[in-house]
Amino acid sequence: MNTGYIIKSITALDDDLGKINRYTRRNLSADGVYTFSVILCDNEIDRDYERFCVDSLNSLAKLFIGKTGIFDHNPKGQNQTARIYDTEVLVDKLKRTSLNEEYTYLKAKAYMVKSDKNADLILEIDGGIKKEVSVGCSVSSIKCSVCAADAKKGCKHQKGKVYEGTQCHHILEKPTDAYEWSFVAVPAQKNAGVTKSYENQDKEDSKLRDNDTLIKAFSVCDEEFTLTKAEAMALCSHIKCLEKTAELGFAYKQDLAKEVTRLSFLANDQLDTAVFASVASKMDIEELKAFKSAYEKKLSSFEDNVQLKGKDKTFTQATMNEFKI
Ligand SMILES: [Zn+2]
């Protein structure tokens, strides 16, 4: 998961103070700063079916140095409480990712100036209450794990879906900027993941294209076509609805074909019943209706003849009722 967490508070050593004091107006002493380490992100697939590659973690390590940590992605100066002064990419040899790669993570060290204003936050970090952090960054390449295509342009795979036993996810590559990292106020918050470069997503959803527009667009497009999540969901429910209607239509057509086959037999058409049943199954509803109406006319004229001739009972009611498919 790309929501990182605070590991522990650390004691600022001279080396740390040297790095910290690059960001401060006055030189701080070990007593004046509170330092802690934090895992910002890793190479595991996150809740959004996305992961950073190890190269991305290395780039982010450089980009996150000097970045301030805030509460809940609220970039107001007053909330900027901690700053990253050192980062490193580490490998946990004892842990494998779900893709069976070595678990690799970006660890950062951050400091806060001890003050009344952030005393509560320091207590919360020490007490393990403020544990989760999330990071905001942008990447210039997002790759589909199935076909390696640029997922920003779109491919036929959907992240989270399984293709031939492998779940599709997106690989975040070539980070271009690290905006911020923040303390997540509610650690259990499900969507508090990495804020990646998806600024356009909501805007696209607000100008949702309707199904008719999309279907028209499909018929004329000659290359890959990208749908927003909301559009894909609307299209799915439309297809489900059509499937239901088609099921009912198919059942009606089958009943009609059986009825026409039965009438063909009764009308003594000299046709093999099995052959006619096969032909009827291939007719469309209009053709079946035409046959039905023709046979019904023929049969009603038979009945008239039977009534007139009396004894000529080629087709009695009994034989008609015997026939069942
Ligand atoms: Zn793909």
Side-chain angles (χ1 to χ4, degrees):
M1 130 180 124
N2 275 322
T3 307
Y5 54 92
I6 294 164
I7 308 168
K8 58 179 178 184
S9 57
I10 45 178
T11 310
L13 304 170
D14 284 349
D15 181 44
D16 293 301
L17 284 173
K19 286 172 179 164
I20 290 167
N21 284 325
R22 283 185 301 191
Y23 301 102
T24 55
R25 278 185 210 154
R26 62 185 168 88
N27 273 1
L28 297 169
S29 67
D31 292 342
V33 289
Y34 173 78
T35 56
F36 57 97
S37 54
V38 59
I39 290 179
L40 292 176
C41 45
D42 55 35
N43 62 338
E44 183 57 278
I45 299 167
D46 69 9
R47 298 163 180 148
D48 301 324
Y49 305 105
E50 291 171 344
R51 73 176 169 93
F52 289 109
C53 60
V54 173
D55 281 348
S56 294
L57 296 177
N58 284 317
S59 304
L60 287 170
K62 291 183 192 101
L63 293 166
F64 266 110
I65 287 185
K67 293 288 168 6
T68 45
I70 54 173
F71 282 102
D72 294 319
H73 293 283
N74 179 0
K76 283 184 184 166
Q78 68 207 40
N79 292 323
Q80 295 185 348
T81 49
R83 191 190 291 271
I84 289 170
Y85 65 91
D86 200 9
T87 56
E88 88 188 288
V89 175
L90 296 167
V91 177
D92 185 341
K93 298 266 184 202
L94 300 173
K95 203 170 156 186
R96 312 290 296 183
T97 67
S98 54
L99 297 175
N100 201 28
E101 289 177 351
E102 283 182 328
Y103 178 74
T104 309
Y105 59 101
L106 170 55
K107 190 176 118 174
K109 286 182 186 173
Y111 76 90
M112 264 186 256
V113 177
K114 281 184 186 166
S115 71
D116 290 346
K117 212 175 83 180
N118 56 31
D120 286 346
L121 179 60
I122 290 170
L123 274 177
E124 285 174 358
I125 293 170
D126 277 343
I129 296 166
K130 282 275 176 292
K131 260 182 111 167
E132 283 203 43
V133 296
S134 65
V135 298
C137 65
S138 65
V139 294
S140 63
S141 165
I142 299 172
K143 201 163 83 180
C144 166
S145 68
V146 178
C147 69
D150 182 346
K152 277 185 173 176
K153 286 182 187 152
C155 65
K156 62 180 179 180
H157 306 111
Q158 272 176 40
K159 54 182 183 171
K161 270 199 163 186
V162 176
Y163 299 91
E164 291 174 17
T166 313
Q167 191 171 45
C168 173
H169 66 273
H170 286 173
I171 305 155
L172 309 171
E173 298 178 326
K174 300 183 185 129
T176 50
D177 201 3
Y179 309 123
E180 62 181 27
W181 56 284
S182 59
F183 297 98
V184 182
V186 186
Q189 199 180 336
K190 278 284 172 221
N191 293 323
V194 181
T195 312
K196 286 151 262 161
S197 55
Y198 287 130
E199 294 89 350
N200 297 329
Q201 196 66 47
D202 290 337
K203 284 176 205 154
E204 275 174 26
D205 285 351
S206 67
K207 52 172 184 180
L208 190 71
R209 294 164 292 184
D210 64 34
N211 292 328
D212 287 343
T213 310
L214 286 173
I215 291 162
K216 270 180 208 156
F218 291 157
S219 64
V220 294
C221 88
D222 52 3
E223 51 186 19
E224 285 168 344
F225 196 99
T226 309
L227 297 176
T228 65
K229 192 176 177 186
E231 284 171 346
M233 280 167 73
L235 210 50
C236 267
S237 86
H238 180 58
I239 290 167
K240 287 229 157 55
C241 193
L242 290 177
E243 277 172 353
K244 194 77 209 159
T245 311
E247 250 172 52
L248 293 171
F250 184 69
Y252 170 69
K253 186 173 161 290
Q254 272 186 320
D255 286 348
L256 198 58
K258 274 186 192 172
E259 175 64 4
V260 172
T261 308
R262 189 180 77 92
L263 293 173
S264 145
F265 172 81
L266 294 177
N268 196 21
D269 238 355
Q270 310 293 319
L271 287 166
D272 183 279
T273 310
V275 171
F276 189 83
S278 163
V279 172
S281 73
K282 293 179 185 83
M283 289 182 202
D284 64 28
I285 286 177
E286 289 312 309
E287 288 164 342
L288 288 168
K289 274 183 175 171
F291 269 83
K292 184 172 181 259
S293 140
Y295 283 136
E296 278 169 349
K297 266 186 205 153
K298 195 172 175 184
L299 284 168
S300 74
S301 73
F302 279 163
E303 275 175 23
D304 291 346
N305 286 340
V306 168
Q307 277 168 6
L308 286 170
K309 289 176 186 173
K311 285 175 189 172
D312 185 2
K313 293 185 179 177
T314 317
F315 296 97
T316 63
Q317 200 58 45
T319 53
M320 286 168 89
N321 287 343
E322 269 167 27
F323 187 85
K324 290 223 164 59
I325 292 177

